[in-house]
Amino acid sequence: MNTVKTVRELRAAVARARSEGKRIGFVPTMGNLHSGHAALVTKAAQRADFVVASIFVNPLQFGANEDLDKYPRTLAADQERLLQAGCNLLFAPTVDEMYPDGMSVQTRVSVPQLSEGLCGASRPGHFEGVATVVTKLFNMVQPDLAVFGEKDFQQLAVIRAMVRDLNMPIQVIGEPTVRAEDGLALSSRNGYLTPEQRATAPALYRTLQHIAAAIGRGQRDFAALVAEGQAQLTAAGFRPDYLEVRHAVSLRPAMFDDRDLVVIAAAYLGNTRLIDNLYLHVEEKTA
Ligand code: PAF
């Protein structure tokens, strides 16, 4: 696996693969890779002949008080993991390579509506930063397909909408969340948790499961379910940011007859903000 740092080298390597008739798969990441990322690369390797991954901690998607500076940078370990998972080429650009004229004059891509609410409400500008960098990376790599984790459910919805709205000829594939044995969704931010917080953390997924199970049994008082879930999270030691039941595609608030739902949450343990979600399809009852 080769690592390149410039767009020029990236384009040359991808052009070589394409001239050999290879289908290009792409996995954008911010590094500090875990088995969840490895699953994205494995999926890309199953669907494409040449897999490009990127590692770029994108300043444009971090708010002023967020963890940009302390976000873990672990390039050597990441390279090993990517190699094992079947990656062919790593693109690891600098901030200057990605934003040569600086970020203030960078053209932005914004996806209305889907970017508002949920994580967009507590992280203003976040999804514009994501949509902008993913557009740039897509234009640099020009992949046939790209794989994203379903753990970032709203991000995946934003990227799908962006690809559709801007007619990007790229197939977007969602890969199910990889979880620790106790249910905690794998995330680079789990590394910030103290041992005590790590022991509490699985309560987030348990709360989502509890709500999803109640909906599965026919409960439709979403507000009551959410209120109960918020109380559970608070009792466990979380500071909930949001906990909601939404329509899984449009992300609007769930309605009584919706069949495709997502229970979605963000909550703090100390200063660490964890997100998780649980998709559920409600079967139509036959009389
Ligand atoms: O999900 C992430 O790691 C990032 O938001 C992404 C898609 C690599 C864009 O910086």
Side-chain angles (χ1 to χ4, degrees):
M1 184 189 76
N2 254 343
T3 299
V4 294
K5 290 188 174 299
T6 64
V7 179
R8 202 188 155 94
E9 295 166 294
L10 168 72
R11 285 197 197 281
V14 173
R16 259 194 310 277
R18 210 176 264 299
S19 72
E20 290 162 10
K22 291 184 174 157
R23 204 169 138 74
I24 313 295
F26 179 44
V27 180
T29 81
M30 298 205 301
N32 193 231
L33 306 181
H34 48 67
S35 344
H37 296 107
L40 307 182
V41 175
T42 304
K43 173 59 70 66
Q46 285 162 357
R47 302 281 184 93
D49 311 302
F50 187 83
V51 178
V52 182
S54 63
I55 294 181
F56 179 61
V57 183
N58 173 33
L60 207 58
Q61 69 187 75
F62 285 77
N65 300 317
E66 294 184 352
D67 54 347
L68 174 64
D69 292 338
K70 75 165 182 173
Y71 201 87
R73 273 90 166 164
T74 51
L75 186 63
D78 292 348
Q79 284 169 317
E80 186 54 36
R81 207 179 259 281
L82 288 170
L83 178 69
Q84 297 303 329
C87 179
N88 301 102
L89 178 69
L90 169 61
F91 177 49
T94 60
V95 173
D96 274 353
E97 183 70 13
M98 289 299 287
Y99 301 115
D101 299 323
M103 288 186 293
S104 57
V105 295
Q106 168 67 49
T107 300
R108 311 286 175 113
V109 178
S110 95
V111 179
Q113 218 158 25
L114 280 171
S115 297
E116 294 147 24
L118 304 174
C119 285
S122 32
R123 305 187 68 188
H126 170 67
F127 288 115
E128 189 179 87
V130 171
T132 301
V133 82
V134 172
T135 299
K136 285 171 72 77
L137 290 166
F138 278 180
N139 285 333
M140 291 166 180
V141 178
Q142 300 192 347
D144 297 285
L145 61 91
V147 188
F148 293 84
E150 288 176 355
K151 185 185 146 263
D152 296 293
F153 198 88
Q154 188 176 10
Q155 168 172 284
L156 181 55
V158 165
I159 287 165
R160 284 192 197 286
M162 177 186 91
V163 164
R164 196 178 55 239
D165 291 353
L166 298 181
N167 306 88
M168 297 176 175
I170 297 170
Q171 184 191 0
V172 174
I173 299 171
E175 177 68 12
T177 303
V178 177
R179 297 181 181 281
E181 256 175 43
D182 58 12
L184 177 65
L186 298 192
S187 162
S188 301
R189 293 193 166 98
N190 293 350
Y192 300 150
L193 300 173
T194 64
E196 197 177 295
Q197 289 168 340
R198 175 61 189 82
T200 304
L204 181 57
Y205 186 51
R206 279 202 301 276
T207 301
L208 303 184
Q209 286 177 307
H210 186 83
I211 294 175
I215 296 171
R217 288 193 301 271
Q219 248 275 33
R220 287 295 177 278
D221 187 345
F222 301 124
L225 288 173
V226 161
E228 196 188 323
Q230 301 255 20
Q232 274 174 17
L233 286 177
T234 307
F238 281 94
R239 193 159 40 84
D241 178 358
Y242 64 79
L243 171 63
E244 300 206 26
V245 185
R246 294 277 180 120
H247 182 258
V249 179
S250 67
L251 294 186
R252 60 155 169 70
M255 297 202 290
F256 190 90
D257 288 330
D258 284 340
R259 301 265 163 248
D260 291 299
L261 296 172
V262 61
V263 190
I264 188 162
Y268 288 90
L269 276 176
N271 293 326
T272 304
R273 187 171 177 279
L274 300 180
I275 60 171
D276 203 351
N277 67 81
L278 183 50
Y279 164 82
L280 76 151
H281 177 74
V282 182
E283 291 298 335
E284 205 155 347
K285 291 251 172 0
T286 45

